[in-house]
Amino acid sequence: EGHLRGMAVLPSMRGSGIASQLLSRAESELHQRKCTRITLDTTEPLLRAMRFYEKHGYRRSGKTKDFFGMPLIEYQKALL
């Protein structure tokens, strides 16, 4: 299992496709390392990020943790 943490794109680069390229590269690296599942965490205020991950095949795992008083939502994706 691989876990992505802290991925971000400068506001001026949003919408350029760089985030999709970055995510694809991270997934490729994890696949090469024989990972079959990827997880990541995000919070509810980051709705744009949640939609981005869902667009790229990530789904809520059902696990949440507390992150300084707000829910930290785990997303997961199987690598084929």
Side-chain angles (χ1 to χ4, degrees):
E1 180 175 308
H3 183 78
L4 300 180
R5 185 172 182 267
M7 190 173 103
V9 173
L10 291 171
S12 62
M13 297 301 294
R14 291 181 186 154
S16 69
I18 193 81
S20 294
Q21 292 174 27
L22 181 60
L23 182 60
S24 178
R25 181 66 180 104
E27 290 175 349
S28 293
E29 179 68 27
L30 291 170
H31 187 276
Q32 289 175 7
R33 293 174 184 241
K34 309 290 188 224
C35 291
T36 58
R37 180 175 177 259
I38 301 175
T39 60
L40 58 88
D41 300 311
T42 191
T43 59
E44 290 177 340
L46 299 177
L47 186 57
R48 184 176 177 146
M50 293 167 73
R51 286 193 306 260
F52 171 81
Y53 293 125
E54 290 169 0
K55 176 182 166 187
H56 288 86
Y58 288 81
R59 299 293 175 251
R60 289 183 183 209
S61 70
K63 295 180 185 177
T64 59
K65 300 177 222 169
D66 179 73
F67 184 69
F68 299 100
M70 78 176 91
L72 188 65
I73 303 162
E74 182 184 77
Y75 277 76
Q76 66 182 358
K77 180 178 179 178
L79 288 178
L80 305 175

